[in-house]
Amino acid sequence: MISVGVIIPFAAPYLTFNPADSRVSITSTAVQFPLLVAHIISACVAVITGFVQFIYRIRIKTPTLHRYFGRVYVMSVFISGGLALVISFYIENFSKAVSFLVLSLIWLFTCWKGYRTAVRKQLEKHRIWMIRNFGVTLVAVSGRLVVPVLLLIYSLLNGFSLPGGREKMVEEVLNVNIWVGLLVNFILVEWWILNEKN
């Protein structure tokens, strides 16, 4: 529920389909903005259907429904991840563009591995890869949740002063929040996988 609470306010401005409401810099309203909206909508579908996959009653007791939602999830990740690859070339800030590009590649790779293991009936490997993939999906959430912590760390490291002003602080934090969100999720997911085996 926290994830939906984080995603809805972020996604809502884009559902007006008005580039002026965008929270990120738009260099092309004809190409970049429609791709961004499609990326966000398909990513929201991935978050929602991903959570459904963890509901025991659906996953174990109704495997047909699990497979149906799984297909919707995989398709939404492939669509959103593919669009993200293109969008990354419109991002003017190099560090943000690289983080978005790397995140998209990891997202697509882990989803592909999860899909291929399902097709090959390697169910335990499928489950592990899809847990990893959903951890990457949730970077959209964790990357935003870590922002207040990063703002505090920035302040601490600078002796509670803002040498470059508030805008510089926000810029610096938003340059690293995706990396931090990915690292946090990676650690949590691998810890969960290892503890399940023990």
Side-chain angles (χ1 to χ4, degrees):
M1 296 311 272
I2 293 172
S3 298
V4 175
V6 171
I7 290 295
I8 288 175
F10 173 76
Y14 297 94
L15 300 180
T16 65
F17 302 104
N18 183 354
D21 295 331
S22 176
R23 292 183 175 180
V24 299
S25 173
I26 301 295
T27 56
S28 170
T29 56
V31 179
Q32 181 191 9
F33 185 71
L35 293 178
L36 182 61
V37 170
H39 161 72
I40 290 169
I41 291 171
S42 52
C44 288
V45 172
V47 169
I48 293 166
T49 55
F51 274 119
V52 170
Q53 295 299 81
F54 287 90
I55 298 172
Y56 177 83
R57 187 173 292 175
I58 292 176
R59 185 166 48 89
I60 303 300
K61 297 192 175 181
T62 54
T64 303
L65 201 55
H66 174 74
R67 284 192 296 271
Y68 170 76
F69 278 111
R71 290 186 187 107
V72 174
Y73 173 79
V74 166
M75 189 61 67
S76 63
V77 169
F78 283 151
I79 291 170
S80 190
L83 291 171
L85 291 177
V86 179
I87 292 167
S88 64
F89 290 96
Y90 285 92
I91 300 173
E92 294 175 333
N93 181 293
F94 177 73
S95 60
K96 285 183 185 177
V98 170
S99 64
F100 204 60
L101 182 63
V102 170
L103 178 65
S104 303
L105 290 170
I106 294 170
W107 198 23
L108 290 167
F109 173 75
T110 54
C111 189
W112 173 251
K113 290 291 285 185
Y115 171 75
R116 289 300 299 158
T117 50
V119 168
R120 293 172 180 168
K121 308 294 184 191
Q122 299 169 325
L123 299 184
E124 183 57 23
K125 287 183 178 179
H126 163 70
R127 189 180 67 80
I128 289 171
W129 277 108
M130 291 316 286
I131 290 171
R132 286 179 177 138
N133 178 256
F134 193 57
V136 180
T137 299
L138 291 180
V139 170
V141 176
S142 62
R144 286 164 181 81
L145 290 177
V146 298
V147 166
V149 176
L150 293 174
L151 290 171
L152 178 60
I153 291 170
Y154 182 92
S155 296
L156 285 169
L157 293 175
N158 287 288
F160 291 99
S161 66
L162 303 178
R166 186 176 298 184
E167 285 184 13
K168 179 66 174 174
M169 175 182 69
V170 171
E171 180 187 340
E172 293 282 349
V173 165
L174 294 180
N175 282 343
V176 298
N177 71 314
I178 294 297
W179 295 114
V180 174
L182 182 60
L183 181 62
V184 167
N185 286 15
F186 176 76
I187 291 169
L188 290 174
V189 164
E190 294 304 318
W191 175 82
W192 183 14
I193 291 169
L194 287 172
N195 277 298
E196 271 194 332
K197 291 179 179 178
N198 296 331

